[in-house]
Structures are given as structure tokens and as C-alpha cells.
Amino acid sequence: MRRIVVGVVVLAVGIALAALGIFKAANPAEPLAFLAIPAGLVFVFGGALVLLPAKLQLPLAALMVTSLAAVFDWVAFGPGERHFTSSLGAGGARVTWTGGELAGRAFFGVFAVLMDIAAIGLWLRLVRGR
């Protein structure tokens, strides 16, 4: 029962986030609003992954990882200026600093490439399995 509740909540959050991105993407004052669409789809596919039968898990996982990869790809390689803030904390103490654009893009770029490889692997496994 708990699994169903979690799946429905995650699915609802994803639908709301993706819908927000769709509605706000047309507004030129919010040029990054479109990123809410793939971010929301990560939650939509994750919630559906929990709710739907096992034979649909691989396609849903491929869609979820692809959506997440799209977000990382845009942050790392998309046009425009980026601002990154880093922090490190332990025991109630925290140090925060602003990193350069190149360092932030490199960090996201590493994870973007890893997510792309994971997505391609899932899609290949899905295509070969049929």
C-alpha cells in the first residue's frame, strides 16, 4: 500500500512540475522554465515505474534516465551563462563559495556524459530485448 501511495505522489509531483514548465515556457521573461518539463518527466516516469507492472519497467527506466540526462546535458552544454555555488559542511559549520562557470559546467558535463551512456545502454537493452 505504501508503495502505491509513494508512486501516486511522485507521479503527481512530476505532472505538476512538467505542466508548470509547459505553461511557463511560453513566457520570454522565464527562459529556463522549459527545463521543468524534463525534470518533471523524471518524476512522472519514476512514479509510473513504481505503479506499473514489471514488464514496463525497462521502457520507463529508459525514459526516466533520458529525461534526467537531458537536464544535465542542458546545464553542461546548453547556451547561456551559468552561475554555480558550492558548499561544504559538517557538524553545523558550513563554507560556501561561488565557483567559476567552467568548473560548474565541467562537473555537470561529467555527469551528463555518464547519464547519456546510461540512457543509451538502457535503450540498446530495450531494443535488443524485443
Side-chain angles (χ1 to χ4, degrees), residues 64-119:
M64 185 176 77
V65 172
T66 301
S67 298
L68 187 59
V71 175
F72 276 92
D73 286 335
W74 191 88
V75 172
F77 308 116
E81 187 180 357
R82 303 285 187 277
H83 302 279
F84 297 94
T85 302
S86 305
S87 64
L88 181 65
R94 183 174 73 172
V95 177
T96 303
W97 66 95
T98 56
E101 182 177 2
L102 182 61
R105 282 184 181 259
F107 181 80
F108 272 89
V110 168
F111 287 100
V113 169
L114 291 174
M115 294 302 297
D116 291 339
I117 291 169

Side-chain angles (χ1 to χ4, degrees), residues 24-85:
K24 292 207 171 233
N27 184 358
E30 299 192 45
L32 302 181
F34 73 92
L35 272 180
I37 299 167
L41 289 177
V42 170
F43 289 95
V44 168
F45 297 132
L49 189 66
V50 173
L51 295 172
L52 295 176
K55 67 180 180 176
L56 296 175
Q57 287 184 348
L58 186 58
L60 288 170
L63 289 166
M64 185 176 77
V65 172
T66 301
S67 298
L68 187 59
V71 175
F72 276 92
D73 286 335
W74 191 88
V75 172
F77 308 116
E81 187 180 357
R82 303 285 187 277
H83 302 279
F84 297 94
T85 302

Side-chain angles (χ1 to χ4, degrees), residues 8-34:
V8 169
V9 168
V10 170
L11 187 66
V13 167
I15 290 169
L17 186 57
L20 180 68
I22 290 168
F23 289 122
K24 292 207 171 233
N27 184 358
E30 299 192 45
L32 302 181
F34 73 92

